Amino acid sequence: MVINLYYGGRGLIEDPCLYVCDKVSNVLSELHVTVRRYNLYEEKNGISMLPKTLKECDAVILASVVEWFGFGGFMAQFLDACWLYGDKQKLSGLYMMPIVTSTTFGEEEALFNLTRAWKVLGGYVTEGVCSYVKDNTEFELNGPISKKIETAAENLYRSVNQKRPAFPSSELSIRRDLDAGTKLPLTPQESEQLSEYVSNDTYVKKQKEDIEELSQMFRQMLGNTGNSAENETIKSFRNHFRPKDGFSASYRLELSDKNSNLIIEVNGKKLKVYFGEKQDAEVKARLSSQTLTDITDGKLTFQRGFMSGAIAAKGNFKTLRIFDEIFNFT
């Protein structure tokens, strides 16, 4: 028999959950059970790939400590990964023993959320450990508490060994509803491969860059069939772009009479110009379409327009002043 133990704490020496995990592991080892332990804080860069380890076990132990509110973030990430990339057929009927200790408050709420999440995944829940710990030493030396921990571990062994049935749960209907709304039904093999891609930061970064490039391309394609004046404006900015080494900035030019925004993103020698939205632009300016035309025709500089009141702007004023350096329309 193989049981996987997933510890979701931070590995701090004062964490009482560590004592419970060690105690449970020792009891199961005496029953000739192989316990494979995964410390999620050590696996944080590869948590999305951990669901595939569920294929090799007969039951799991989910252990976490409540330090201030709910069970830890590592455990939440692991459960998310189980839902997104786990083999639902393997998870269905897989026994889980919860371990929740608290050094503050809220251990019962954390236990409820942990067990309910596992039931939604389709698994069974056995008796676990749920305790508030005020003093670690007193907790570890408490005989009756130690006995209850041993009993919970033995109960997990019996549940798996005897394949004890569980009462039907309404959480299964929730899972069916959620599965019905899944837009991309994947096979277990495809989900496992996807989890490997997600955990690869270089791959994710490249995908984001490709998506941005495609978005820009489609914006250009849409622009080519749209307003010719907007196309000419974009073309004018590209033709008069004078890159400045090491300079990067973003501008949002709100056209007050057109109800549209011209977005300009500069990153060294790279330039993106399009009509759209960008809330986090470093410089946000409001001007009329005629004022913008005067700028692109070389009749007015951005700085003069701002000083005369034709342009209202806010944001990084150093970036604002450089606008006329990187776009020379004169």
Side-chain angles (χ1 to χ4, degrees), residues 174-185:
I174 297 176
R175 174 185 164 181
R176 284 192 292 268
D177 293 340
L178 292 173
D179 280 340
T182 301
K183 296 181 180 180
L184 292 174

Side-chain angles (χ1 to χ4, degrees), residues 209-245:
E209 292 175 352
D210 290 345
I211 290 172
E212 178 60 32
E213 185 176 340
L214 286 171
S215 299
Q216 179 68 11
M217 182 183 72
F218 282 118
R219 279 196 290 263
Q220 293 173 9
M221 292 172 63
L222 290 172
N224 291 334
T225 60
N227 191 310
S228 60
E230 291 184 353
N231 295 337
E232 287 300 319
T233 299
I234 293 174
K235 183 178 179 180
S236 181
F237 271 94
R238 288 176 179 161
N239 291 339
H240 294 85
F241 177 52
R242 303 293 181 268
K244 187 179 180 68
D245 290 340

